[in-house]
């Protein structure tokens, strides 16, 4: 696996964001995704769609990917504590979205958890955006700033409660988009789970019975034991 790793970190930011392209090597992972609806379940978080299990062999693949990317995050690849992964496909219409599904989010407050989004679709389904909260300037949500951020955000969302729900596509009244990666089949984007980010959905999800022909990705989370340090 000799693919080039591209740095996507915004010019005015220290947040590490990297992308690796796997190209046609990813075709097998799409072929192994189930189109049998009972195999898909509602996620435990606010993801606007459904999840399914990945093959056990995918864990070997994503560990190889992370072994190449770990140095860019100042992580010790030999100190992995937990790896989780699942197929994900967007299914919710915009009218069904809750307030927190219309804004950028963070996955976890743990600075040692790295998220990887593996695109098994192309740019007709949008991409991934990275954001800064306008009122606070926060890009990373931490144990120290989380309470302050949520208090301000909840007040802002209350003031916007009359707005029609819609998927975020670029900037947002409350958030400035600092970086954007357009979906390309086989690309894997990696970043700390505690930074503000969002899937940027291009319109309504397709009303197609073939789930794997929609906005299909594999989302992985890798938890390291050592504290992240940045140069």
């Amino acid at each position: 696996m000799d693919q080039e790793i591209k740095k996507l970190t915004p010019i005015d930011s220290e947040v590490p964001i990297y992308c690796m392209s796997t190209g046609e090597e990813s075709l097998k992972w799409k072929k192994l995704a189930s189109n049998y609806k009972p195999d898909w379940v509602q996620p435990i978080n606010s993801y606007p769609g459904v999840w399914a299990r990945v093959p056990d062999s995918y864990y070997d693949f994503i560990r190889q990917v992370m072994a190449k990317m770990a140095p860019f995050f100042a992580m010790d690849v030999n100190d992995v504590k937990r790896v989780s992964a699942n197929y994900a496909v967007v299914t919710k219409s915009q009218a069904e979205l809750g307030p927190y599904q219309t804004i950028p989010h963070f996955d976890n407050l743990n600075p040692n958890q790295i998220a990887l989004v593996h695109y098994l679709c192309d740019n007709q389904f949008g991409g991934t955006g990275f954001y800064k909260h306008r009122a606070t300037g926060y890009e990373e949500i931490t144990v120290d700033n989380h309470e302050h951020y949520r208090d301000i955000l909840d007040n802002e969302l209350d003031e916007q409660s009359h707005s029609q729900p819609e998927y975020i596509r670029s900037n947002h009244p409350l958030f400035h988009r600092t970086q954007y990666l357009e979906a390309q089949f086989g690309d894997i984007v990696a970043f700390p789970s505690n930074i503000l980010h969002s899937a940027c959905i291009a319109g309504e999800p397709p009303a197609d019975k073939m789930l794997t022909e929609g906005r299909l990705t594999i989302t992985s989370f890798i938890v390291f034991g050592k504290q992240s340090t940045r140069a």
Side-chain angles (χ1 to χ4, degrees):
M1 188 180 291
D2 298 321
Q3 291 81 357
E4 179 185 2
I5 296 174
K6 298 181 293 185
K7 185 177 182 180
L8 301 177
T9 299
I11 294 175
D12 61 346
S13 171
E14 296 183 359
V15 171
I17 307 168
Y18 290 89
C19 179
M20 172 191 288
S21 177
T22 65
E24 293 186 359
E25 185 179 358
S26 294
L27 286 171
K28 63 181 176 182
W29 304 118
K30 180 171 182 176
K31 290 178 181 177
L32 289 170
S34 175
N35 268 308
Y36 182 55
K37 286 190 176 181
D39 287 342
W40 294 80
V41 299
Q42 295 296 318
I44 58 175
N45 59 17
S46 60
Y47 180 79
V50 289
W51 284 358
R53 290 184 60 181
V54 296
D56 290 343
S57 55
Y58 188 80
Y59 287 93
D60 294 330
F61 168 78
I62 206 65
R63 282 178 180 271
Q64 292 177 44
V65 170
M66 200 62 232
K68 293 183 69 68
M69 286 190 165
F72 295 93
F73 295 94
M75 297 293 185
D76 182 355
V77 72
N78 297 310
D79 195 20
V80 173
K81 299 302 182 184
R82 181 170 58 85
V83 181
S84 61
N86 54 266
Y87 286 109
V89 64
V90 172
T91 57
K92 275 195 173 185
S93 69
Q94 297 189 103
E96 298 176 290
L97 298 176
Y100 280 96
Q101 293 174 317
T102 65
I103 61 171
H105 67 281
F106 62 96
D107 300 310
N108 193 293
L109 292 174
N110 184 355
N112 296 335
Q113 177 173 291
I114 303 301
L116 299 98
V117 178
H118 185 177
Y119 278 104
L120 301 179
C121 63
D122 59 26
N123 59 11
Q124 69 174 303
F125 297 107
T128 301
F130 299 90
Y131 292 84
K132 180 181 292 187
H133 183 226
R134 295 182 189 275
T136 62
Y138 295 154
E139 293 178 276
E140 298 178 86
I141 307 304
T142 67
V143 171
D144 292 335
N145 69 21
H146 178 239
E147 185 174 351
H148 179 233
Y149 170 69
R150 287 299 296 265
D151 286 347
I152 292 177
L153 181 62
D154 286 344
N155 288 333
E156 291 176 325
L157 291 176
D158 284 343
E159 292 175 2
Q160 292 200 338
S161 59
H162 61 281
S163 301
Q164 190 77 12
E166 61 180 7
Y167 282 113
I168 189 169
R169 293 188 178 89
S170 56
N171 283 316
H172 183 278
L174 307 180
F175 297 87
H176 167 66
R177 190 167 78 179
T178 60
Q179 184 58 281
Y180 177 68
L181 176 69
E182 187 175 70
Q184 295 292 339
F185 187 90
D187 276 6
I188 299 175
V189 59
F191 50 90
S193 285
N194 68 337
I195 69 173
L196 292 169
H197 61 281
S198 179
C200 296
I201 310 296
E204 295 285 355
D208 195 323
K209 293 181 180 179
M210 295 287 286
L211 286 169
T212 61
E213 296 309 310
R215 191 184 190 280
L216 178 67
T217 61
I218 298 178
T219 300
S220 303
F221 297 107
I222 301 184
V223 179
F224 291 87
K226 295 189 185 282
Q227 182 65 37
S228 172
T229 56
R230 297 179 192 163

